[in-house]
Amino acid sequence: MCGNVPPLKRASPRRPRLGPWLTVPTLLLIAVFLYWPLGRGIWLSTRGTDLLGNPTRSVGFDNYTQLLTDPASRRVLLTTLTLTVASVAMATAGALAAVLPLRRRIAGRRLFQLVFSLPFAYSAASASACFAGLFAPSVGTLNHVLAKLGYEGPPWLQSPGWAMLCVALATAWYEFGFAVLVLTAAVRNLPSEVLEAAELDGASGVRLVRSVIVPLISPSLFFLAVTQTISGLQIFTQVQVLTRGGPSDATTTLVVELYRRAFGGGVPDYGRASAIAVVLLALVLLVTAVQFLVLNRRVTTS
């Protein structure tokens, strides 16, 4: 029987682990296109510039001090926050109002879902150009319709208040399509047993939405709040196309001010522009952290 025992196989030599080495190309790309620009921007934010815009001597935190103490800069920050809150609220509430009626099987539901999600396919520039034609003071579509009805339309893009509203509406419409896609998926996955039990208990209409549906889709609402807030804090294209920051800098946001400082003409001030970029990054991180602490806690306890 010993002659029938197969010979033992020699253990193959241990192969080197290639996993960590396979991540090297990705880490190099991240270092070149993320960490190096970030470090360069922080370094530039502590520098002054000469008449040609080249970084010169170190000025420490002077750029940050001027940015945080300048009344015009505080106004730009307030404008950015106002536009962000308004656009996120309108986009999310509008998407929720559009999606909830489509949770039932009605005729043309697929068509309505397609139409409501179309803004997601547009670029910010093309969407803003459509709103520019809509709100143009003399030849705009909206004022033309109002004139036909016997009303005189307001100067949409020449009045500070109306201009803020127009930029917020353009941004909300641009974000509306993505919100519809996210909430459509969330509503489609609602447990039918829970909804039927709630309806049998007498919950319907606003009460059903507030007490049952919204808590069930709160993770999706939380996701939209975070992503759209980050996008809203970086509003640029809508302002450039519609108002270019006017009138009287009423719609100037942080990114628009950054662009003016660095590339807007005249002597570029890369130090001040880099300080704005760093403050914007810190603001995005702060707002996102607060949302995770507050909204996520409500999601987990609901």
Side-chain angles (χ1 to χ4, degrees):
M1 296 191 54
C2 294
N4 295 329
V5 176
L8 296 176
K9 295 182 179 180
R10 295 182 60 185
S12 58
R14 189 175 183 180
R15 296 181 180 179
R17 295 182 179 179
L18 296 179
W21 294 102
L22 295 177
T23 63
V24 171
T26 302
L27 294 176
L28 288 176
L29 290 175
I30 293 175
V32 171
F33 294 102
L34 179 61
Y35 294 117
W36 166 252
L38 177 61
R40 176 73 173 177
I42 295 175
W43 179 79
L44 282 175
S45 68
T46 62
R47 299 284 159 174
T49 53
D50 57 18
L51 294 178
L52 298 178
N54 298 317
T56 55
R57 70 188 189 284
S58 174
V59 296
F61 294 99
D62 288 351
N63 289 324
Y64 294 98
T65 303
Q66 295 175 7
L67 179 63
L68 298 177
T69 57
D70 186 9
S73 298
R74 291 199 296 267
R75 181 183 178 185
V76 169
L77 177 60
L78 179 61
T79 299
T80 304
L81 295 176
T82 302
L83 288 174
T84 300
V85 172
S87 61
V88 170
M90 288 189 291
T92 305
L96 192 62
V99 166
L100 287 179
L102 300 179
R103 65 185 180 88
R104 301 184 182 276
R105 296 186 177 274
I106 60 177
R109 183 178 66 169
R110 300 283 185 179
L111 178 61
F112 282 114
Q113 291 175 347
L114 174 63
V115 172
F116 289 149
S117 61
L118 275 179
F120 183 60
Y122 287 86
S123 65
S126 58
S128 302
C130 293
F131 275 87
L134 180 66
F135 292 119
S138 56
V139 296
T141 305
L142 188 55
N143 279 354
H144 179 72
V145 172
L146 291 175
K148 290 292 185 180
L149 298 176
Y151 298 97
E152 182 180 0
W156 298 104
L157 302 177
Q158 282 72 36
S159 171
W162 288 114
M164 285 278 290
L165 178 62
C166 293
V167 173
L169 285 172
T171 306
W173 187 85
Y174 176 67
E175 299 287 350
F176 175 78
F178 178 71
V180 166
L181 291 176
V182 173
L183 293 181
T184 298
V187 171
R188 186 177 299 173
N189 292 324
L190 288 174
S192 57
E193 301 84 2
V194 176
L195 297 179
E196 291 174 359
E199 291 175 350
L200 290 176
D201 289 339
S204 61
V206 177
R207 183 182 177 186
L208 177 65
V209 173
R210 185 185 67 249
S211 303
V212 180
I213 295 180
V214 169
L216 288 175
I217 64 173
S218 55
S220 298
L221 293 175
F222 168 68
F223 170 76
L224 283 177
V226 174
T227 56
Q228 291 188 338
T229 298
I230 294 175
S231 177
L233 291 173
Q234 303 175 62
I235 294 176
F236 175 75
T237 305
Q238 295 88 335
V239 175
Q240 281 293 98
V241 174
L242 291 174
T243 64
R244 293 191 177 275
S248 302
D249 291 334
T251 57
T252 300
T253 61
L254 284 173
V255 181
V256 173
E257 182 66 15
L258 187 157
Y259 175 81
R260 288 178 178 176
R261 294 282 181 178
F263 313 107
V267 179
D269 190 354
Y270 294 122
R272 186 74 174 269
S274 299
I276 295 175
V278 174
V279 169
L280 179 60
L281 174 62
L283 181 62
V284 169
L285 294 177
L286 177 62
V287 171
T288 304
V290 170
Q291 288 178 327
F292 267 96
L293 290 175
V294 177
L295 297 180
N296 195 28
R297 183 178 301 173
R298 292 183 179 181
V299 170
T300 54
T301 56
S302 61

